[in-house]
Amino acid sequence: MRIALVAPLAEAVPPKLYGGTERVVSWLAEELVRQGHEVTLFASAESQTTARLVRCAPQSLRLAGIRDHIGSTLAMLREVRRRADEFDVIHFHIDLLPNALFHDLAHKCLITLHGRLDMPDAFPLYEAYPEMPLVSISDSQRGPMPDCANWLTTIKHGLGRGLCPFDPEGGDYLAFLGRISPEKRPDRAIEIARLSGVQLRIAAKIDNVDLEYFNTMIEPMLDHPLIEFIGEINEDEKREFLGKARALLFPIDWPEPFGLVMIESMSAGTPVIAWRGGSVPEVIADGVSGVIVDSMAGAVAAVRTVSELSRAGVRAEFERRFTAERMALAYVAAYRTLLARREALSHAPAPHAARAFRAAPAFIVEPTAAKSVLETPLAESA
Amino acid sequence: MRIALVAPLAEAVPPKLYGGTERVVSWLAEELVRQGHEVTLFASAESQTTARLVRCAPQSLRLAGIRDHIGSTLAMLREVRRRADEFDVIHFHIDLLPNALFHDLAHKCLITLHGRLDMPDAFPLYEAYPEMPLVSISDSQRGPMPDCANWLTTIKHGLGRGLCPFDPEGGDYLAFLGRISPEKRPDRAIEIARLSGVQLRIAAKIDNVDLEYFNTMIEPMLDHPLIEFIGEINEDEKREFLGKARALLFPIDWPEPFGLVMIESMSAGTPVIAWRGGSVPEVIADGVSGVIVDSMAGAVAAVRTVSELSRAGVRAEFERRFTAERMALAYVAAYRTLLARREALSHAPAPHAARAFRAAPAFIVEPTAAKSVLETPLAESA
């Protein structure tokens, strides 16, 4: 199949540092190529791929210091549009702009929504451009979205089998990995460790925006013999860090749309103790790949029992549900669904696309003033 | 002529509080209606106009607490697109998105750029979509833009004749009006007043982002018998405030793209003492409607000589160059230029639009990696 993947320009694909979306796009691109598809990747110039790369920005925008990504993204989308005939399917990993710019090609397009969707700012867009097929990365991610959203399917992220190798031994500490921020609740992780008397190692970066939270809330909690803050770690250190842990703590307090670190941990064979919320019940098989808890008492109890879970069983659950191969196969199935729909529509009496757009009732046309504001003082016109 | 005006959704048209762009769009809409055109205004629902209003958001986005305006704006643009055949010309007062969404209708579209243009983030857009005719609000505003920008003309803003009525008497204080912020240089205004021994009245709002600047830099300078800080004023108070002044101080330190307050002051007959920069030399006729200075000494000298300027002469300069009527006539001339070009092109052998798009050299296509990153550790792929 001839597949276009359109990545964010914020980071390279794969990213040189962070960038969850760009990492997933990279894994998907490589796996689709491996499965024999003809893949074209639209991404920033320093991306590395076995697919055909269309360089759409001379450098990743974050490294280039470009804050407003709209101009560069719209420029990329013109190039995608210019080549649209070269592809059977165009798979976007950026949202909002493709809905508006490709709605007339919606029959061969889909958008994976990578972020949280509980911000109403974007809802008018989905109401105005309801044609575009959308893919969620968990079912729970869909919750806040308006009814008009045109969901095609849910496809959970997948990881290459070798990226976080299985460690049959594990270790004895609890691991917290990711970002220091209020919604990730590192404070809960520390409390769990203290109450259960088990060592906690925290490997996390601190964004500027979270520096005050770290300084005032977290740093004072670190002065305890069981707590070790090791800061930011690289990908090599991460494999060791996850593989040698007793369990990963994932005590989130926000509607996590997916949570890549959970499947990285599962890949290493390390079970996850996770707070119920967002995608957690869809990612963790309770009692197989981890323990889902709702309270501090539950979390402390889980620390005691989690070692009873088979690490091989955790890895098997990863292999069954969260490999990049499985993710790519699911996307290919979604692409084929689109192609089949298009085929069916080409034989139908009236085009589906023409019916799909419902004029939003907000657009009312009428004059609102009998006299002009031009010659009256401004105060009266307000 | 059948004219569509497309306003920002941030504020109502006219705005209930601030919003320079929405004020100008309102004045233009009312004047075009007065001149007999069929005007359709796309704006937020609480807008007030004698034009036909298409309500594109239930409330202005700022008042509705919507931070990210892209979704609502793209929804509005679909409605504009749906009605495009109803208009001879579509005049946008928002940038970036229409360049991408209406490039194939560029022969009947134009965009007035209302902001500063020295941020390179948007340049890739102008390179990718060079067709769209652009209107600058001063010639100096164009300076930083890339060569590919398709400038149609410069049209300076205009004001209704009655909005800031002519005051033949004036008064004796210096006026500073607008916003407290570093680039507006209220500190310079205070220094000018102290050095020249003339009273300064400062009528200005303080945005949250400028609160620290006010507290640390400006507030300590206010404790002086010549300086009066009267805070934010409404439009009624503004007319009195401008009309009763000896001169308006406009000691800016940034590339001001236009500066509405200068023509409001001129409308009242009050001359402007302005620092050379941005649009200032295009708006102020030095020695007629004000004095252009480059230094503190020049500004202090200007305070002594500015009363020699005829207030009637200042108003006459306003009447000649900065009324809403003149602005609307200039826009109608620009619209007619577009229509004439379209007419000429319809007889030409090849469509201009097809030639206009130059594929940007950044889009290079090639594979970049011999082996997939999927099965290698992440560290090697970075």
Side-chain angles (χ1 to χ4, degrees):
Chain A
M1 209 181 297
R2 298 172 306 161
I3 302 161
L5 298 179
V6 184
L9 294 172
E11 308 289 345
V13 175
K16 292 197 186 303
L17 297 163
Y18 310 103
T21 299
E22 290 85 351
R23 288 167 71 204
V24 172
V25 173
S26 171
W27 302 332
L28 177 60
E30 301 314 311
E31 183 60 30
L32 288 171
V33 169
R34 201 189 62 79
Q35 293 181 15
H37 298 286
E38 188 182 310
V39 180
T40 303
L41 174 65
F42 294 82
S44 69
E46 74 272 53
S47 298
Q48 293 289 323
T49 180
T50 55
R52 293 198 316 162
L53 176 67
V54 181
R55 296 180 162 86
C56 294
Q59 192 182 12
S60 69
L61 300 186
R62 195 180 59 79
L63 292 184
I66 293 178
R67 288 186 184 188
D68 186 342
H69 295 186
I70 291 180
S72 295
T73 305
L74 288 172
M76 170 169 71
L77 291 179
R78 180 154 198 170
E79 186 67 11
V80 177
R81 181 88 201 192
R82 200 173 69 76
R83 297 170 182 265
D85 286 347
E86 301 173 17
F87 311 115
D88 298 311
V89 65
I90 304 173
H91 183 180
F92 295 100
H93 296 269
I94 52 177
D95 56 0
L96 305 182
L97 297 173
N99 302 62
L101 282 160
F102 287 81
H103 65 85
D104 57 320
L105 294 181
H107 58 272
K108 63 188 281 181
C109 293
L110 69 164
I111 301 178
T112 294
L113 298 175
H114 284 262
R116 61 192 291 182
L117 302 174
D118 54 342
M119 310 296 188
D121 295 12
F123 292 174
L125 175 98
Y126 295 106
E127 285 156 9
Y129 300 88
E131 303 92 340
M132 188 60 71
L134 305 174
V135 175
S136 45
I137 58 175
S138 66
D139 291 338
S140 80
Q141 183 199 26
R142 298 185 183 186
M145 280 278 275
D147 288 343
C148 61
N150 181 19
W151 295 112
L152 181 63
T153 185
T154 290
I155 299 178
K156 298 197 177 68
H157 290 331
L159 200 69
R161 283 192 179 81
L163 292 180
C164 289
F166 177 54
D167 186 321
E169 304 296 327
D172 201 45
Y173 59 86
L174 302 171
F176 180 97
L177 176 63
R179 209 161 33 90
I180 295 290
S181 71
E183 72 271 19
K184 298 284 191 182
R185 297 299 299 265
D187 58 320
R188 270 188 186 160
I190 294 168
E191 193 64 13
I192 292 167
R194 292 170 59 162
L195 289 173
S196 55
V198 176
Q199 187 195 7
L200 171 69
R201 303 184 70 199
I202 302 173
K205 67 173 176 137
I206 307 166
D207 290 338
N208 276 337
V209 67
D210 294 312
L211 200 54
E212 192 186 334
Y213 170 71
F214 176 77
N215 289 337
T216 60
M217 302 297 291
I218 300 305
E219 200 166 28
M221 301 177 75
L222 297 180
D223 186 20
H224 187 282
L226 285 174
I227 312 300
E228 184 187 5
F229 181 76
I230 58 177
E232 206 175 319
I233 58 175
N234 67 28
E235 296 293 333
D236 249 357
E237 293 167 325
K238 183 158 113 180
R239 301 159 76 202
E240 170 98 7
F241 179 75
L242 286 174
K244 291 298 178 200
R246 179 200 295 198
L248 175 79
L249 296 186
F250 196 66
I252 53 157
D253 197 8
W254 75 301
E256 179 83 48
F258 184 79
L260 276 176
V261 68
M262 289 192 285
I263 65 171
E264 290 174 323
S265 184
M266 287 166 63
S267 175
T270 300
V272 182
I273 298 173
W275 232 261
R276 191 182 307 279
S279 64
V280 163
E282 300 174 59
V283 176
I284 301 299
D286 199 9
V288 178
S289 53
V291 184
I292 300 175
V293 302
D294 301 282
S295 65
M296 192 56 66
V300 172
V303 171
R304 285 194 299 269
T305 60
V306 73
S307 299
E308 297 164 14
L309 299 182
S310 151
R311 292 184 65 90
V314 174
R315 171 72 188 193
E317 177 74 3
F318 163 78
E319 294 264 358
R320 192 171 69 84
R321 296 179 59 208
F322 296 111
T323 61
E325 181 180 4
R326 193 266 328 149
M327 169 174 69
L329 288 171
Y331 273 113
V332 170
Y335 305 157
R336 293 204 196 282
T337 301
L338 278 184
L339 295 180
R341 277 191 199 168
R342 194 182 345 168
E343 183 64 20
L345 283 171
S346 68
H347 301 301
H352 172 72
R355 286 200 308 273
F357 180 58
R358 300 158 295 178
F363 300 113
I364 299 163
V365 185
E366 58 180 84
T368 58
K371 62 170 189 164
S372 167
V373 300
L374 254 198
E375 295 298 322
T376 51
L378 285 177
E380 293 177 22
S381 71
Chain B
M1 209 180 294
R2 300 172 304 162
I3 302 161
L5 298 179
V6 184
L9 295 172
E11 309 288 344
V13 175
K16 294 197 187 302
L17 298 163
Y18 311 103
T21 300
E22 290 86 350
R23 288 166 72 203
V24 172
V25 174
S26 171
W27 301 334
L28 176 61
E30 302 312 313
E31 183 61 31
L32 288 171
V33 169
R34 202 189 63 77
Q35 293 182 15
H37 297 287
E38 189 182 310
V39 180
T40 303
L41 174 64
F42 294 81
S44 70
E46 74 272 54
S47 298
Q48 294 289 321
T49 180
T50 56
R52 293 198 316 163
L53 176 66
V54 181
R55 295 180 163 88
C56 295
Q59 193 182 12
S60 68
L61 301 186
R62 196 180 58 80
L63 292 184
I66 292 178
R67 287 187 184 187
D68 187 342
H69 296 187
I70 291 181
S72 296
T73 305
L74 288 172
M76 170 169 72
L77 292 180
R78 180 152 199 173
E79 186 67 11
V80 176
R81 183 86 201 195
R82 201 174 67 78
R83 296 170 183 268
D85 286 347
E86 301 173 17
F87 311 115
D88 299 310
V89 65
I90 304 174
H91 183 180
F92 296 100
H93 296 269
I94 51 177
D95 57 1
L96 305 182
L97 297 173
N99 302 61
L101 282 161
F102 286 81
H103 66 85
D104 56 321
L105 294 181
H107 59 272
K108 63 188 282 182
C109 293
L110 69 166
I111 301 178
T112 295
L113 298 175
H114 284 263
R116 60 191 293 182
L117 302 174
D118 54 343
M119 309 296 186
D121 295 12
F123 292 174
L125 176 97
Y126 295 106
E127 285 156 10
Y129 300 89
E131 303 92 341
M132 187 61 71
L134 305 174
V135 176
S136 46
I137 58 175
S138 65
D139 292 339
S140 80
Q141 183 199 25
R142 297 185 184 186
M145 281 276 277
D147 289 343
C148 61
N150 181 17
W151 295 111
L152 182 63
T153 184
T154 290
I155 298 179
K156 297 197 177 65
H157 291 331
L159 200 68
R161 284 190 178 79
L163 291 180
C164 288
F166 177 53
D167 186 320
E169 305 296 328
D172 201 45
Y173 60 85
L174 302 171
F176 181 96
L177 176 61
R179 208 160 33 89
I180 296 289
S181 70
E183 72 271 19
K184 298 283 189 183
R185 296 300 301 263
D187 58 318
R188 270 188 186 159
I190 293 168
E191 192 65 13
I192 293 167
R194 293 170 60 163
L195 289 173
S196 55
V198 177
Q199 187 195 7
L200 171 70
R201 303 184 71 201
I202 301 173
K205 68 171 174 137
I206 308 167
D207 290 337
N208 278 338
V209 65
D210 294 313
L211 200 54
E212 191 187 333
Y213 170 71
F214 176 77
N215 288 339
T216 59
M217 303 296 292
I218 301 304
E219 199 166 29
M221 301 177 75
L222 298 179
D223 186 20
H224 187 282
L226 286 173
I227 312 300
E228 185 185 5
F229 182 76
I230 58 177
E232 205 176 318
I233 59 177
N234 67 28
E235 296 294 333
D236 249 357
E237 294 166 325
K238 183 157 113 178
R239 300 160 74 203
E240 170 99 7
F241 179 76
L242 286 173
K244 292 299 179 201
R246 180 200 294 198
L248 175 79
L249 297 186
F250 196 66
I252 53 157
D253 198 7
W254 74 302
E256 180 84 46
F258 184 78
L260 275 176
V261 68
M262 290 193 285
I263 66 171
E264 290 174 323
S265 184
M266 288 165 63
S267 175
T270 300
V272 182
I273 298 172
W275 232 260
R276 190 182 307 280
S279 63
V280 163
E282 299 174 60
V283 175
I284 301 300
D286 198 10
V288 178
S289 54
V291 184
I292 300 175
V293 302
D294 302 283
S295 65
M296 192 56 67
V300 172
V303 171
R304 286 194 299 270
T305 60
V306 72
S307 300
E308 297 164 13
L309 299 183
S310 152
R311 291 184 66 90
V314 174
R315 171 74 187 192
E317 177 74 1
F318 164 78
E319 294 265 358
R320 190 171 70 81
R321 295 179 60 209
F322 295 111
T323 62
E325 183 180 2
R326 192 267 328 150
M327 169 175 67
L329 288 171
Y331 273 114
V332 171
Y335 304 157
R336 291 202 197 286
T337 300
L338 278 185
L339 294 180
R341 275 191 200 169
R342 194 182 347 169
E343 182 65 19
L345 282 172
S346 68
H347 301 302
H352 172 71
R355 287 200 307 272
F357 179 58
R358 300 159 296 181
F363 299 113
I364 300 163
V365 185
E366 57 180 87
T368 59
K371 62 170 188 165
S372 167
V373 301
L374 254 199
E375 296 299 321
T376 51
L378 285 174
E380 293 178 18
S381 72

